[in-house]
Amino acid sequence: MAPHLSFQVLGPLKVSVDGRPLPLRSARQRTVLAMLLLTPGRAVSVDALADAVWHSDPPVTVRNQIAICVSALRKTFRDEAGVGGLIETQLPGYVLHREGHYVDVAHLYESAAAARGAAEAGDPGEAAARFEDALALWSGPVLDGMDGSALSGTVGRISELRIDLAEEYAAVQLQQGRHRSVVESLGPIVAENPLREHARAVLMQAYHQLGRRSEALDCYREGRRVLVAELGVEPGAELRELHRTVLEGDGQILVRPAAVPDVTVPDAVTGPVLDTGPRQLPLAREPFVGREGALELLRRLVPSASGYADATTARIATVCGTAGVGKSALALHWADRVAGRFPDGRLYVDLRGPHGHGGPGTPEAALDRALRALGVPGTSIPADLEDRAALYRGTLDGRRLLVILDNARSVEQIRPLLPCRGSARVLVTSRDPLNGLAGSFAVTRVELGAMSPAESLDLLAATIGEHRVTAEPAAARRLVDLCDRLPLALRVVATRLLSDHRWTLRQMAARMEDRRERMGVLNPGEGGLRSGVWLGYRALSVQAARLYRQLSMLEVPDFPAWIGVPVLGVTPDASERLLLQLVGAQLLETRPAQGGGTRFRFQDTMRLFARERCLAEDDAQECEQSLDRILTAVLTLVYAAQEQLYGKGKAPHGDPAHTEPVPGETVSELVADPIKWFEDERETLDALVAQAVRDGHAARAWLLVVGAVPFYETRNYLEDWRRTAECALDGARRAGHTRGAGTMLRCLGTLAIYQRRYEEARELLLTALTQLERTDDTQGRAIARRNLAVCARFLGDLTGAARYCEESLVLFRQAGDNSGLSHALGLLAQIEIEQGDPERGVELSSQAIEVSYTAGSLRSRTQNLYRLAEALLGAGRAPQAERICHDVVGLTRGQGDRLGEAHGLCALGEAQWRQNEPHKARASLLRALRLAEEVGDRFLQARIVTHLACAEAISGASGAGEPLDWAQEEFRTFKAPMWVRRAGRLREVLESHDAVRPIEGSVLACLLADR
């Protein structure tokens, strides 16, 4: 076999032959070789080589000196590695031929091209994998430790490529919804390279998608500061547009733009402005704080001096939001600030009905008031709506006037009040989104949400006094939360506190913790929040109002669009339409789901109002039935999703009610991507388990947990797993449900296994088995025994592990659970390998894969392919194992199983170093390590570090054994004696090994095989 040279420049310069380091002791030789390696396959001129070695002061004999240096390199490669023809003379200098050898920068270019090609082809999964391969090649700055001044051009381009790839990889991760990973990886790059606008734009988008709008806006602001300070330019179009999107996407905007005077005198005006038009603005609420982002958006409504003369289309702004969010206060405050820009007056029209009660006011009545305010005599106002609207528009034409239409109900109500031409500007406030305006007018939209926590505290302090907030900061923060950070609610509470100074903030917060008391505090007399919400509620259809009331009884953070299916028995489309009607009435809020789509949620104050109406209009039995239908529907979907992951095993939901009330075609559509469905419903499932226990549905609670465990396992959500299982266990015990209690104990025992607490897991599982033996739950007893086998295996009792596993196989066959049977066969295969019979392990793993096909479980098949790969590694069949590991990585990545992908990459790296391919192994293992860190599996991290040490040792790196100290300590922490011994043996061998001689993968493999 021909010698294989390896060259690395993406970090310190390293040269090795068949894994053995090949030292180059001459600095001049290292520089020349580095220049040739930076552009492999392309000729490098003698002048460029000379400049690299001697900078700008080469000797007279420069060409001879370079020739001598190249000759010495050729001799080194020929004598030390037996390789000739590597460096060839080719005018105007020399070229390095890499065929048959490894050059990491060439691998980088290939991986980058493949990644970009996959991205262009619309395959983000493949693109992400290729980008990861490329980025994993770096072990430090290019040619770290060398004098790179003469190499700076090429080195700079390669370093720039690294940042480009990181940007492109982050963009692909955005497509995959991996926003948190983008923030973690791209944040440091943007900090180090603050002038890269595209990277900053990708980072802003990730913050925005995570709901971290404040950080997105801070990111923009810092970028703008640096660009202006260092280059004297404003951000480009991409950043500006994204900034606008973030600002308009949420009323809760924390960024504070640079202040620009709101009132400026137009250039054409040289004398005082004579204001003869209507000046009808009501007194604005005081104090007014915050909302700088919204005020900045409204600035678009202010015309420039030339804008009055040139405008041909009326400009309109809408401020939309729920009752009590401060729409009118914002409009009036802004109107006061810009009053000087509208010299022909400010016209104010309140579009509510008489005295603000009942239905909306009519357009005819609003036009009558507007025309009279504009100076039209009452006798000249026509009766017909169209004639009245025409007169109104004619009267406005040419006037530099601001029209405020407050409390609009609909587009139809305000359409006659909108000017078609002229200089007038219109500001509309409404609970309705007024989407119908967009097709006909140039509209600036301000979607006003709750205030930020800081703004809310500022408003409270400005109303009751800074000293009271400072004296009780914790109570002040709690009051802000109890008011949902709504300005109206905060003002009501502040008024209560001011009316009687004996009330402390802590006492008020304690009173408002009681939901019924809270509604009383927030709704004094005829005013408060209730009056505003009541108007929106009265306008609802019968079905929408019923859905609103029933949903208020759910103690969940939000809910999906299909929730109306079990509540009302409607189709998913009809359910979404009803929920959108509630959003349009500003009675519900929306938020984007993690993987796309829309979620719906109550503000607490709105939920209290809806619950009031539910208790007043619906009987208790109807509410109970509604909750039961929702729990039943969620159970149906949970087990349908679980079947997608694990196949058609015998699920533990014996309750016949689980089969409805969601139609089968709806179920299939909703859980087509089971991991995404579980991710979307994760917080809802957690809350439903707690509510089911609290409201007497203990059986539903533990069934929900059992169904959710595959998801918790896949995503490593161990805290969710523990919390829901303990809650359901408590409910089952209080209800006297033996099977439920045994199942939850078994569930907690399984969790302890995942947390590597094997002794605790064994005790929980033995207790669970005692309870399950008193029931007819054959499947549950089988799972408990299989998991006891896992505990025994990791505690070093392989004989006991095999016995428990054999017993579980009998029970799984009795229960007809092929998924469980497949998993138990795979486990027995691992035990046989560790007992010294890898061929039996291969045989059992193959059986497990066959059974997984029968079960129809892709996940089970993937896990058993991984076990087969481990068996093949134990049998010394690394090439076969490598092929199977590639399948495992592809399957787990397709399922979104990051933990499974990390295991697959770990086994792949092991197979590669066993075949003396350390560079491939290193790339695979570094990707595995990132995933293991991402999911927080420290035991797996320690295993990966162990294999990385093996790969480094084979490549001839010095100090390869040092990370084993950390790994060995981790293995001790997790009480894994077999791995403690393996890491110790490896450490001893690597410390005593002579780095000049290569170490074979087979030698290290024997150390890992020895128990």
Side-chain angles (χ1 to χ4, degrees):
M1 181 176 177
H4 178 79
L5 283 165
S6 173
F7 301 92
Q8 294 172 265
V9 299
L10 302 175
L13 176 64
K14 292 182 180 179
V15 184
S16 61
V17 55
D18 292 335
R20 174 172 55 86
L22 199 161
L24 298 174
R25 295 178 175 83
S26 164
R28 189 176 298 174
Q29 291 178 30
R30 292 170 64 83
T31 301
V32 169
L33 179 61
M35 285 291 289
L36 297 172
L37 288 171
L38 289 174
T39 54
R42 292 172 53 190
V44 181
S45 70
V46 172
D47 289 342
L49 294 172
D51 190 52
V53 174
W54 289 282
H55 308 315
S56 57
D57 188 25
V60 176
T61 58
V62 59
R63 292 190 175 274
N64 286 337
Q65 297 277 14
I66 292 294
I68 291 169
C69 186
V70 171
S71 178
L73 284 170
R74 288 169 171 163
K75 184 177 186 302
T76 298
F77 294 131
R78 184 175 58 251
D79 295 347
E80 299 292 330
V83 174
L86 183 70
I87 302 175
E88 180 185 0
T89 303
Q90 181 175 311
L91 292 178
Y94 301 91
V95 63
L96 183 143
H97 296 295
R98 68 181 184 89
E99 290 78 11
H101 306 289
Y102 177 85
V103 180
D104 62 355
V105 74
H107 189 182
L108 169 68
Y109 295 142
E110 292 165 1
S111 295
R116 288 164 169 168
E120 291 173 3
D123 186 354
E126 178 63 16
R130 296 293 188 174
F131 279 124
E132 288 168 5
D133 285 340
L135 292 168
L137 294 171
W138 263 277
S139 60
V142 179
L143 296 173
D144 192 17
M146 291 183 62
D147 179 6
S149 57
L151 310 173
S152 59
T154 306
V155 168
R157 286 192 294 274
I158 297 175
S159 301
E160 193 79 358
L161 174 61
R162 183 182 188 181
I163 303 173
D164 291 340
L165 293 175
E167 286 182 10
E168 294 167 52
Y169 176 43
V172 169
Q173 288 179 299
L174 279 184
Q175 295 177 27
Q176 298 176 304
R178 296 166 62 186
H179 308 116
R180 197 175 306 281
S181 180
V182 172
V183 169
E184 293 172 355
S185 62
L186 205 55
I189 291 174
V190 171
E192 293 172 8
N193 304 272
L195 297 177
R196 292 189 66 104
E197 292 190 57
H198 181 63
R200 189 174 296 276
V202 175
L203 181 59
M204 278 184 67
Q205 182 71 11
Y207 278 133
H208 183 49
Q209 293 298 322
L210 284 168
R212 293 159 65 176
R213 291 184 177 86
S214 171
E215 288 156 288
L217 293 169
D218 284 343
C219 184
Y220 173 85
R221 183 168 54 189
E222 174 61 15
R224 180 180 181 276
R225 184 193 66 77
V226 173
L227 287 166
V228 171
E230 296 194 22
L231 303 180
V233 299
E234 289 289 331
E238 181 184 24
L239 273 176
R240 293 198 310 272
E241 180 61 20
L242 184 54
H243 182 233
R244 184 191 63 77
T245 300
V246 175
L247 281 175
E248 293 184 353
D250 189 347
Q252 185 180 326
I253 300 172
L254 306 181
V255 68
R256 307 277 181 174
V260 179
D262 283 304
V263 183
T264 57
V265 179
D267 296 339
V269 180
T270 56
V273 176
L274 183 62
D275 189 348
T276 59
R279 290 180 289 178
Q280 294 187 319
L281 295 184
L283 187 65
R285 284 189 179 273
E286 292 293 343
F288 185 93
V289 301
R291 302 299 198 186
E292 294 299 331
L295 291 168
E296 180 69 14
L297 286 172
L298 290 178
R299 183 181 302 283
R300 300 177 187 177
L301 202 61
V302 180
S304 63
S306 60
Y308 281 118
D310 299 338
T312 57
T313 304
R315 295 289 301 279
I316 301 169
T318 61
V319 179
C320 302
T322 190
V325 80
K327 302 180 294 294
S328 298
L330 172 70
L332 295 174
H333 175 77
W334 177 80
D336 277 343
R337 287 174 63 171
V338 298
R341 296 298 296 273
F342 297 96
D344 292 333
R346 280 80 61 199
L347 175 65
Y348 176 84
V349 181
D350 189 341
L351 294 172
R352 289 178 295 186
H355 310 296
H357 296 294
T362 65
E364 291 89 344
L367 284 167
D368 181 80
R369 296 198 304 275
L371 286 167
R372 291 175 188 272
L374 290 166
V376 177
T379 55
S380 301
I381 298 175
D384 181 74
L385 174 61
E386 291 187 8
D387 292 341
R388 197 172 280 191
L391 176 60
Y392 168 76
R393 294 189 183 104
T395 305
L396 287 182
D397 192 21
R399 293 200 185 191
R400 294 167 295 178
L401 188 77
L402 174 61
V403 179
I404 295 183
L405 304 177
D406 202 10
N407 299 305
R409 178 63 63 85
S410 65
V411 173
E412 290 70 28
Q413 185 192 29
I414 64 172
R415 196 179 294 277
L417 291 147
L418 301 176
C420 292
R421 301 176 62 84
S423 304
R425 298 294 191 259
V426 181
L427 176 57
V428 187
T429 73
S430 178
R431 289 194 299 271
D432 188 276
L434 302 176
N435 294 323
L437 290 177
S440 307
F441 302 94
V443 180
T444 294
R445 296 172 56 88
V446 177
E447 295 181 10
L448 203 60
M451 301 179 81
S452 73
E455 287 174 330
S456 302
L457 287 170
D458 287 346
L459 179 59
L460 190 60
T463 309
I464 67 172
E466 180 81 32
H467 64 287
R468 297 186 70 179
V469 172
T470 304
E472 298 183 85
R477 288 193 296 270
R478 183 58 185 150
L479 276 176
V480 162
D481 290 340
L482 290 168
C483 291
D484 276 331
R485 291 182 275 118
L486 293 175
L488 177 58
L490 285 165
R491 292 181 192 278
V492 170
V493 169
T495 301
R496 289 293 188 94
L497 288 167
L498 287 171
S499 66
D500 190 344
H501 280 272
R502 291 173 298 178
W503 276 94
T504 66
L505 273 63
R506 185 179 60 79
Q507 288 170 327
M508 181 62 75
R511 180 180 177 188
M512 290 181 65
E513 293 287 357
D514 184 297
R515 290 170 177 163
R516 290 167 294 184
E517 282 287 315
R518 197 185 317 170
M519 284 304 285
V521 170
L522 296 177
N523 296 281
E526 295 293 317
L529 281 175
R530 187 186 285 117
S531 61
V533 180
W534 179 252
L535 293 175
Y537 177 74
R538 283 187 57 183
L540 295 175
S541 66
V542 172
Q543 274 196 317
R546 181 176 172 227
L547 181 61
Y548 186 59
R549 298 192 303 269
Q550 295 292 305
L551 290 178
S552 73
M553 306 308 291
L554 278 181
E555 299 284 352
V556 296
D558 56 28
F559 30 82
W562 55 265
I563 194 69
V565 176
V567 176
L568 300 178
V570 297
T571 65
D573 287 343
S575 172
E576 186 167 16
R577 285 196 298 272
L578 290 169
L579 289 168
L580 290 173
Q581 183 181 340
L582 294 172
V583 172
Q586 299 295 333
L587 297 172
L588 288 182
E589 295 181 332
T590 62
R591 71 166 182 84
Q594 192 171 46
T598 301
R599 306 283 297 181
F600 300 84
R601 67 177 290 273
F602 281 100
Q603 284 185 330
D604 276 353
T605 48
M606 300 299 152
R607 187 195 300 274
L608 291 174
F609 173 84
R611 193 164 284 174
E612 266 191 353
R613 300 318 314 151
C614 185
L615 295 173
E617 300 179 39
D618 302 327
D619 60 46
Q621 184 179 4
E622 185 176 358
C623 294
E624 175 72 15
Q625 290 172 346
S626 181
L627 174 60
D628 187 70
R629 287 194 302 272
I630 291 170
L631 290 171
T632 297
V634 173
L635 271 174
T636 302
L637 291 162
V638 163
Y639 284 101
Q642 190 195 65
E643 187 173 288
Q644 289 274 74
L645 289 172
Y646 269 154
K648 297 181 180 180
K650 184 175 180 292
H653 47 71
D655 196 319
H658 84 275
T659 57
E660 54 179 4
V662 182
E665 62 274 13
T666 300
V667 172
S668 300
E669 182 180 341
L670 290 173
V671 299
D673 183 342
I675 290 293
K676 177 185 177 300
W677 183 85
F678 269 121
E679 194 70 65
D680 287 345
E681 303 300 338
R682 174 188 167 195
E683 292 183 3
T684 300
L685 286 170
D686 193 328
L688 281 177
V689 168
Q691 185 169 3
V693 169
R694 192 169 52 248
D695 293 354
H697 297 270
R700 294 282 197 272
W702 70 262
L703 287 169
L704 281 172
V705 175
V706 173
V709 162
F711 166 65
Y712 295 146
E713 173 190 343
T714 298
R715 292 292 190 175
N716 217 45
Y717 288 139
L718 304 187
E719 181 56 29
D720 293 36
W721 187 345
R722 179 199 60 76
R723 184 173 55 251
T724 54
E726 287 180 349
C727 179
L729 173 61
D730 182 58
R733 281 172 167 165
R734 284 192 278 113
H737 202 304
T738 303
R739 180 180 174 188
T743 303
M744 288 300 93
L745 285 165
R746 188 200 78 208
C747 195
L748 288 166
T750 308
L751 170 61
I753 289 174
Y754 273 84
Q755 294 175 314
R756 316 292 176 180
R757 303 198 312 267
Y758 300 111
E759 292 177 353
E760 177 187 337
R762 180 177 59 188
E763 295 306 312
L764 285 165
L765 290 166
L766 287 171
T767 307
L769 192 57
T770 300
Q771 300 230 22
L772 292 171
E773 293 287 4
R774 294 157 49 195
T775 71
D776 60 355
D777 186 2
T778 305
Q779 183 199 41
R781 298 197 301 275
I783 295 172
R785 281 180 166 79
R786 181 193 65 198
N787 290 351
L788 281 166
V790 174
C791 292
R793 174 188 167 221
F794 278 100
L795 290 170
D797 180 11
L798 293 180
T799 302
R803 184 180 69 253
Y804 276 126
C805 210
E806 295 282 3
E807 291 172 357
S808 75
L809 290 174
V810 174
L811 293 171
F812 278 126
R813 289 189 176 100
Q814 289 178 8
D817 183 355
N818 284 322
S819 290
L821 178 62
S822 172
H823 190 267
L825 284 166
L827 175 59
L828 187 57
Q830 289 178 312
I831 295 168
E832 292 291 350
I833 294 167
E834 289 167 7
Q835 285 186 314
D837 192 350
E839 293 299 338
R840 174 65 175 154
V842 172
E843 178 187 343
L844 286 167
S845 296
S846 300
Q847 289 180 28
I849 293 168
E850 288 299 318
V851 175
S852 70
Y853 276 102
T854 304
S857 170
L858 178 61
R859 178 174 170 76
S860 181
R861 184 160 73 254
T862 304
Q863 288 179 334
N864 284 310
L865 281 169
Y866 168 74
R867 294 191 180 101
L868 177 58
E870 284 199 322
L872 290 167
L873 287 170
R877 291 147 68 177
Q880 289 176 265
E882 182 180 7
R883 289 195 295 273
I884 289 172
C885 286
H886 281 295
D887 292 338
V888 172
V889 171
L891 288 168
T892 51
R893 187 175 292 154
Q895 297 170 60
D897 182 357
R898 291 175 293 172
L899 181 60
E901 185 181 350
H903 277 284
L905 286 165
C906 178
L908 177 61
E910 181 182 356
Q912 288 165 336
W913 71 249
R914 281 173 180 256
Q915 297 174 78
N916 294 307
E917 294 180 323
H919 303 296
K920 283 186 179 180
R922 185 174 179 275
S924 299
L925 292 166
L926 287 175
R927 283 167 55 199
L929 188 59
R930 282 199 299 273
L931 286 169
E933 290 170 346
E934 194 175 315
V935 298
D937 192 327
R938 294 181 65 84
F939 183 81
L940 179 56
Q941 290 173 46
R943 287 183 56 189
I944 295 167
V945 166
T946 302
H947 290 302
L948 272 169
C950 294
E952 294 293 341
I954 291 169
S955 68
S958 59
E962 292 174 7
L964 289 171
D965 290 338
W966 176 85
Q968 194 172 24
E969 191 58 37
E970 289 296 307
F971 292 139
R972 287 196 185 96
T973 301
F974 289 112
K975 298 182 179 178
M978 181 173 66
W979 278 99
V980 170
R981 291 192 294 272
R982 287 173 174 174
R985 286 195 298 268
L986 278 172
R987 183 78 166 106
E988 291 173 6
V989 169
L990 294 182
E991 280 183 340
S992 61
H993 177 66
D994 181 2
V996 176
R997 292 184 297 104
I999 186 167
E1000 291 291 329
S1002 57
V1003 173
L1004 300 179
C1006 290
L1007 293 174
L1008 290 182
D1010 189 357
R1011 299 185 63 253

